[in-house]
Amino acid sequence: MKSTVWLATFLFLAVSQAVFAQSWREKYNQAADLYSQEKYNEAAALAEESLNGYLAEGATSGDNHASILRLLATISFSRQDFRKGLDYANQEIQLRETKKDTVLAIALVNRALFQEQLGQLGQALQSLTEAHNLFLASYPANHNAVLECRMGIGTIYYLMNDLVKAREWLYPALEASDQKGEYTQEILEGFYYAGMVDLESAEAKDALNRFEKAGELYRSASLQQSLDYALVLYGKGLAQHQLRMYEQADATLALSQSAYEGMAGKSGEEYFAIIRARVQNAHSWGKPELANDWTSWLRANPEARTAYGEMNTSLGYYYHGRGDLSKAEAYYREALVAFGANEKSDALRRAEASLNLAVLLADQGKVEEALTRVSESLGLIESIGGKESVLYRRAQIRMGATLIQAGKWQAAQSTLEEVSRTMTTLPPAEQSSLLNSLGEVAWRNGRYRRADSLYNAVLYPYEKEGKTPDRYYATALNNLAASRQAEGRFSETLTLSRRSATVTRQLFGAGSLAYAGALENEALLRMRLGDLLASKGRLDSAVLLY
C-alpha cells in the first residue's frame, strides 16, 4: 500500500533554470512531462540524458544535481526498479546531508520507500527516524509531515511484526489527525495499518470501526478508484470475518476483489490475499463449496504459490480448532508442498506450517514425531531470523505445549518461562497461548491456585474489556473448569463447562467436533454430579456429531 506521494509531490521544486544549459533543462522538463503521462521508459532515458549533460558541464553537486536524481528515483519507483532507485536516492542524500533541513528529511523518506520495497526494514526504520527528527526540528508535532512520518515508522514496525511498537506510533498519530480533521494519503494509509494491528491483536470491533471510518474518508474525498480503497475494503472484510459476520464479510470482500480487478487486474500479492480471504470466509461460513473455483485458481497459478500455501495453513488451523484433525492434517501437508522444501523465500512460512502440524501430531498422540518437527522448525527459524523474532518465540511456545503432551513437565516449564520473560512484546494471541500452557504446567503439578490465576489472566480482556472471543478464550474456559474440578468446586466447574460449550459452538459451529468434545466434557461432569438425564442428552448429541 505504499505510495509515491512524497516522491511526486516534491519532484520539481529545486531546478534552477539559470544553472542549466538550455538543452539539459529541456530534457529534464520533457522527462518530467513524460513521467506525468506514465511513459516511464521514455522518461527514464531523457532523465539520464539530462543527468549526463549536467555532469558534462563539470557540476557535480548542488540542488540541480539533486533534483535530477530525485526525478530518476521517482521514475525508478514507478518502473519498480527499486535497486536503481535506491542508488539514486542515496546519491541525492549524499548531496544534501550537510544541510539538515526538511528537504533532506523528504529525501530520507523517499529512501525509506525503496528500502521497504527491498525488504530492508531495519534500514527503512533508520531513514524514517532520522527524517522524523529533522521534521520535528522545523515543524510542530501535529504538522502533517511529522504525522505522516510517524505513520511510516508505525507501518515499518507492523511489517516487522512488532505490534507493540506499531501501536505506539500509529495510534497517537491517527488521534492527532482526527483532532485536526486533516487526512493526507499517507494518513489514510495509516488507518489501514492501524486496522491490521487491531486485527492481529484480536480487537476485531476496533478494527471494523477503523476500516469503516477509513472507507468513509476515501469516499468523501472521491478516492474510491484507488488500490488503497480496495485494501481498506479487504481489511473491513477480515474484521467482519473475525466477528463471524460471514455473509457481510463475503459481500465486502467481493467489493474489494471487484475494485482491485478494475485497477490492477488479477495479479499481485494483495489480490491473492483477497482471494485467500474469500476462501477462508467461505469455509467458516459453512459453505466451502463456494470456494472451490478460487481454490483451484490459486493452485493452478504459479504466481500465487505462496498465497496458496498460506491459504492451506489457515484452513488447517481452522479445521484443527474445530477438532477435524484429518482434514486439518491434509491442509497442513498441502501447505508444506506448496511452500516447497528448497524455497528460501518461503522458509519461514514453511516453518510456521510445520509448527502447526507438530501441534496436530501431538494431539493425535504422535508426540515424538511432533517434538522432532518443532525442533527442526526452531533451528530453521533461528538460522533465518534469530532468537529474538516473534516467530521463534511462537515456536518455543509450541515446543512447551508439545512437551506438556509428552509428559515432560519440567522441560515444558523451563521452555515456557524463558518465553515469559519477553511476554509483553508478544502479540496478544501468543500471550494467551503462553498463559494457557503455563497454566496447564501448574495444573499438572497440582498448583491449582497458580493455574487458576494464569487462566483468569487469559479470560480477563474478554470478560472485562470486551475482547472478541476466540479459541484461546474457549481453551482458557475449559482449562479453568478442569482446574476447578480438581479442587472439588463442582458448581463453578459446571458453569465454566457450559460457557465453554457455548463459546465453542459460536466459534466453530454446532456441527464441529470441537463442540462435540465440549458437550462430552459437560456430560461427564453432569454424570459425576448425578444429573444423569441431562448427561445422557449431551452425550447423545456428542455421539451424533462424532
Side-chain angles (χ1 to χ4, degrees):
M1 284 218 10
K2 297 310 292 179
S3 69
T4 58
V5 171
W6 282 105
L7 291 161
T9 302
F10 295 95
L11 188 59
F12 312 118
L13 295 186
V15 177
S16 169
Q17 295 188 21
V19 178
F20 263 125
Q22 184 71 18
S23 59
W24 310 124
R25 177 169 57 81
E26 287 179 351
K27 287 184 178 180
Y28 173 91
N29 290 332
Q30 289 169 10
D33 185 56
L34 288 167
Y35 171 80
S36 67
Q37 298 175 46
E38 299 185 2
K39 297 178 180 179
Y40 302 132
N41 292 336
E42 297 171 54
L46 275 173
E48 286 280 2
E49 290 182 18
S50 176
L51 177 63
N52 292 334
Y54 181 76
L55 295 176
E57 293 184 345
T60 58
S61 62
D63 287 341
N64 290 327
H65 187 186
S67 294
I68 303 172
L69 291 169
R70 175 78 61 87
L71 173 59
L72 283 164
T74 303
I75 295 169
S76 297
F77 195 96
S78 296
R79 297 174 74 192
Q80 298 189 3
D81 190 348
F82 301 122
R83 293 196 181 279
K84 182 176 286 188
L86 179 58
D87 181 55
Y88 289 132
N90 281 327
Q91 290 182 54
E92 180 192 352
I93 289 170
Q94 289 174 3
L95 294 174
R96 298 192 187 278
E97 61 186 355
T98 57
K99 189 176 182 181
K100 306 295 185 181
D101 58 8
T102 57
V103 178
L104 173 59
I106 294 163
L108 289 164
V109 172
N110 289 345
R111 181 170 71 180
L113 291 174
F114 290 106
Q115 291 167 329
E116 179 187 331
Q117 292 295 330
L118 292 169
Q120 301 172 6
L121 298 181
Q123 294 94 317
L125 187 59
Q126 286 182 325
S127 296
L128 287 172
T129 301
E130 187 176 348
H132 176 255
N133 293 336
L134 290 173
F135 282 133
L136 273 179
S138 299
Y139 299 137
N142 67 345
H143 190 281
N144 282 342
V146 176
L147 297 178
E148 289 167 354
C149 203
R150 288 177 177 171
M151 298 290 188
I153 292 172
T155 298
I156 294 297
Y157 275 122
Y158 168 77
L159 297 175
M160 295 172 73
N161 293 315
D162 191 336
L163 300 185
V164 174
K165 287 288 188 182
R167 187 180 294 109
E168 288 177 1
W169 285 91
L170 287 169
Y171 290 9
L174 285 173
E175 290 173 8
S177 297
D178 285 337
Q179 290 173 1
K180 290 177 62 179
E182 297 179 14
Y183 304 98
T184 65
Q185 187 169 340
E186 282 78 11
I187 290 171
L188 289 177
E189 286 183 11
F191 274 95
Y192 172 81
Y193 286 105
M196 296 305 288
V197 170
D198 290 334
L199 282 178
E200 295 191 27
S201 301
E203 297 167 352
K205 292 178 181 177
D206 291 341
L208 181 58
N209 292 335
R210 205 179 297 276
F211 286 124
E212 286 180 338
K213 180 173 182 176
E216 292 172 3
L217 291 171
Y218 273 98
R219 288 188 290 273
S220 65
S222 300
L223 293 173
Q224 296 98 312
Q225 300 303 313
S226 69
L227 291 179
D228 291 351
Y229 179 67
L231 293 179
V232 164
L233 290 173
Y234 162 70
K236 179 181 176 181
L238 293 181
Q240 291 170 324
H241 172 82
Q242 277 197 18
L243 292 167
R244 300 188 294 281
M245 301 163 60
Y246 301 127
E247 186 172 1
Q248 297 95 316
D250 182 69
T252 302
L253 291 169
L255 290 174
S256 174
Q257 179 183 348
S258 177
Y260 193 100
E261 288 176 357
M263 289 171 284
K266 298 181 178 182
S267 63
E269 290 184 13
E270 289 100 344
Y271 183 72
F272 300 147
I274 295 168
I275 298 301
R276 190 174 74 242
R278 294 201 73 182
V279 171
Q280 292 165 203
N281 187 71
H283 281 261
S284 300
W285 195 6
K287 300 182 178 182
E289 68 280 357
L290 294 179
N292 289 341
D293 289 344
W294 302 324
T295 301
S296 298
W297 183 80
L298 285 172
R299 184 192 302 117
N301 190 336
E303 295 181 358
R305 177 180 53 79
T306 296
Y308 178 66
E310 291 177 332
M311 180 201 75
N312 280 284
T313 299
S314 297
L315 289 175
Y317 188 75
Y318 170 70
Y319 282 105
H320 193 171
R322 284 173 56 93
D324 193 337
L325 301 188
S326 60
K327 186 173 287 188
E329 181 175 358
Y331 279 117
Y332 286 148
R333 294 193 182 279
E334 181 71 10
L336 291 172
V337 171
F339 292 137
N342 299 313
E343 292 291 338
K344 292 183 179 179
S345 61
D346 284 336
L348 291 179
R349 295 182 179 92
R350 185 168 63 252
E352 189 160 13
S354 187
L355 284 174
N356 290 347
L357 178 57
V359 175
L360 183 142
L361 291 170
D363 289 343
Q364 293 174 327
K366 304 173 183 177
V367 179
E368 292 305 319
E369 183 181 351
L371 286 172
T372 299
R373 189 172 284 278
V374 176
S375 296
E376 291 173 350
S377 296
L378 274 167
L380 177 60
I381 296 165
E382 181 182 357
S383 68
I384 297 175
K387 291 186 176 182
E388 301 305 314
S389 68
V390 171
L391 183 55
Y392 185 81
R393 284 174 283 175
R394 182 182 301 162
Q396 286 182 296
I397 296 170
R398 301 293 185 272
M399 174 62 83
T402 307
L403 287 168
I404 289 171
Q405 290 178 288
K408 301 177 180 180
W409 318 125
Q410 191 61 43
Q413 182 171 341
S414 177
T415 299
L416 295 168
E417 286 183 348
E418 180 182 344
V419 187
S420 69
R421 298 188 190 104
T422 58
M423 187 169 69
T424 57
T425 65
L426 293 172
E430 299 307 324
Q431 291 186 31
S432 297
S433 180
L434 175 60
L435 290 169
N436 273 325
S437 292
L438 283 169
E440 188 167 357
V441 170
W443 179 77
R444 297 281 184 179
N445 287 323
R447 299 171 61 198
Y448 302 127
R449 185 170 297 179
R450 169 66 173 161
D452 290 355
S453 175
L454 290 163
Y455 295 141
N456 278 316
V458 178
L459 298 175
Y460 184 86
Y462 300 94
E463 299 182 349
K464 302 298 182 182
E465 299 174 355
K467 185 176 178 180
T468 304
D470 54 25
R471 65 167 59 189
Y472 304 105
Y473 177 60
T475 298
L477 284 172
N478 182 73
N479 290 351
L480 183 58
S483 182
R484 292 288 166 82
Q485 181 171 339
E487 296 172 67
R489 299 160 66 175
F490 296 115
S491 177
E492 294 176 52
T493 303
L494 181 58
T495 299
L496 289 165
S497 293
R498 293 174 64 184
R499 284 166 58 195
S500 177
T502 299
V503 170
T504 302
R505 176 173 179 163
Q506 292 172 345
L507 288 173
F508 301 113
S512 67
L513 294 175
Y515 181 54
L519 286 174
E520 183 181 357
N521 287 340
E522 185 184 343
L524 294 174
L525 177 62
R526 287 182 179 277
M527 186 183 300
R528 182 167 185 170
L529 294 173
D531 189 355
L532 300 183
L533 183 61
S535 176
K536 181 180 184 303
R538 283 156 180 76
L539 278 175
D540 287 344
S541 297
V543 167
L544 285 174
L545 290 173
Y546 286 137

